[in-house]
Amino acid sequence: MAFVTDLAGDPVGNRVVFGLYGRPGTGKTTLFLDLVRCPEGVAPKDHTADPTSQRLCLFSADKGTLAVTLNPEPYQGRLAISRPDSLRELRKDLREVDMRIARMVDKGTSPRRIWAVVDTTTALQTMLLTEARKIDVTGARKGKGGRIEDDYERDMVTPADYTINLTHVAEVVNALLALPCNIGFTFLEKTEKDEKRGTSIKVPMMSGQARELVVGHCDVLARVEKPGEGEERLMHVSPSPEFDGKDRTGRLDKVELVERKSGLPDLVRLYQKILRKAEAPASE
C-alpha cells in the first residue's frame, strides 16, 4: 500500500472506530441501531432518500436483534444484518459486506455515513473459539490436521485453541479495518480483580490478547451505563481506576450523555464532535 499524502481526502482517515461495552441491557446495540432508525413523523422511504441518513451493516454474533424483527419498518432500506454461525459463513459475509459498501459508495453514499459493526465481539470470540476446537492440531484424524471439521470438537479448550482463536479474531478485525467506513465493536463487560492490590476494574469481556488486539484499534472505547430507572444512560469515555476507557481523539467529554433527544443519533453527534474543524485562532 502506498503512502497517503492527501490526508483530507483519505476515506479511511475520516472514519472513527467505536468500541462500546457494558452490562446486558444498557443499550449498546440500540446506540448503533439508532444510527439508521427512521425518526418519528418521517416516512422511512423519505428518510432513506435523505442524503444525511446513515447506513449500517451489522454482524449480529449474539443474534440480539429482536427489536428489529418485531418492528422492521423504521430500519428498512438502511440496515443489513448478518447472523453468522461459523467462520466459513463469517468469511463469506465479510466478502459480501466489502462489495455492499463498494456499491453504496459507487452510488454516491459517503463512507462517513456507512458503519460496519460487530455485536457483540464477546459472542464473536466465543463462536470462533468453538471453531478452533474443531481443528485437529495433532493431525491424528486421518491426516486432517489444520482443517475445521464440523463432526469433531475437543471437549476441553487447550492453549493451542486460544492461539488459533487469536489468529481468527485478527483475521476478522483486519478485514473490517480494510473497509472504507466507520467501524463499531460492542462487548459485554467483566470485572478483573487484582488479588495482590485488592483492586478491581471493569473491562470489555474478551480473553487477554484478543481483547488487547480489538481495543487497540478503537479510537473511542466507552463504557455504557444506565444508572437507574428513569435516568439517562451515560458513556464513560475517560479511563478510571474503576473501569477502562479511551479517547485517542481528545475531543470528547469524560462522560457523554446518551440523549436520544437532540435530533441526531448519539453516535453521529459524537462523530461530528470528533471530526469538527478546530477553531481558527483569534487575530490579534
Side-chain angles (χ1 to χ4, degrees), residues 31-272:
L31 279 164
F32 283 110
L33 289 176
D34 279 350
L35 289 166
V36 291
R37 188 195 308 272
C38 182
E40 291 185 12
V42 178
K45 187 178 294 186
D46 293 338
H47 186 56
T48 301
D50 185 339
T52 66
S53 64
Q54 310 288 308
R55 302 292 185 271
L56 173 60
C57 298
L58 183 69
F59 293 86
S60 181
D62 65 357
K63 316 296 191 293
T65 54
L66 182 59
V68 176
T69 303
L70 295 176
N71 187 23
E73 189 62 24
Y75 309 94
Q76 208 69 40
R78 296 170 304 283
L79 172 64
I81 301 176
S82 160
R83 300 183 178 92
D85 287 318
S86 67
L87 180 59
R88 186 180 295 109
E89 289 182 10
L90 182 57
R91 285 170 171 161
K92 179 180 177 181
D93 293 342
L94 285 167
R95 290 192 295 270
E96 181 182 335
V97 80
D98 188 17
M99 294 185 289
R100 179 181 290 274
I101 291 173
R103 288 196 298 268
M104 286 191 277
V105 173
D106 287 343
K107 291 181 180 180
T109 302
S110 169
R112 295 186 179 202
R113 299 194 291 113
I114 304 173
W115 302 71
V117 176
V118 176
D119 181 49
T120 64
T121 316
T122 306
L124 175 70
Q125 185 184 32
T126 300
M127 182 191 78
L128 293 178
L129 192 56
T130 300
E131 293 286 292
R133 290 163 60 196
K134 294 179 180 179
I135 297 177
D136 178 18
V137 294
T138 66
R141 288 177 54 80
K142 301 180 182 178
K144 293 184 178 181
R147 290 177 53 185
I148 294 175
E149 303 177 64
D150 291 332
D151 62 341
Y152 169 75
E153 185 175 328
R154 277 183 295 284
D155 293 330
M156 296 179 62
V157 179
T158 68
D161 296 328
Y162 283 107
T163 302
I164 295 168
N165 181 253
L166 180 61
T167 303
H168 288 161
V169 171
E171 175 189 341
V172 173
V173 171
N174 289 338
L176 288 168
L177 293 173
L179 300 173
C181 64
N182 298 304
I183 306 297
F185 299 101
T186 69
F187 314 81
L188 296 177
E189 78 172 26
K190 68 176 181 179
T191 301
E192 286 192 344
K193 296 183 179 181
D194 187 329
E195 300 294 345
K196 291 184 178 180
R197 298 181 180 179
T199 60
S200 62
I201 183 172
K202 294 179 174 62
V203 298
M205 185 187 291
M206 288 187 78
S207 64
Q209 286 183 294
R211 182 178 73 217
E212 297 304 317
L213 171 71
V214 181
V215 170
H217 286 296
C218 292
D219 298 307
V220 175
L221 177 68
R223 179 175 181 260
V224 183
E225 178 188 17
K226 187 175 182 181
E229 191 65 33
E231 298 184 50
E232 298 284 3
R233 284 175 297 160
L234 305 173
M235 283 187 282
H236 296 274
V237 176
S238 181
S240 78
E242 288 79 33
F243 47 79
D244 197 7
K246 177 182 181 182
D247 174 22
R248 62 161 54 122
T249 74
R251 294 193 168 188
L252 300 179
D253 295 331
K254 291 183 178 180
V255 179
E256 290 283 351
L257 185 66
V258 180
E259 299 173 342
R260 301 190 74 182
K261 299 175 183 177
S262 63
L264 282 175
D266 284 282
L267 292 181
V268 172
R269 177 174 56 81
L270 296 188
Y271 177 86
Q272 293 180 352

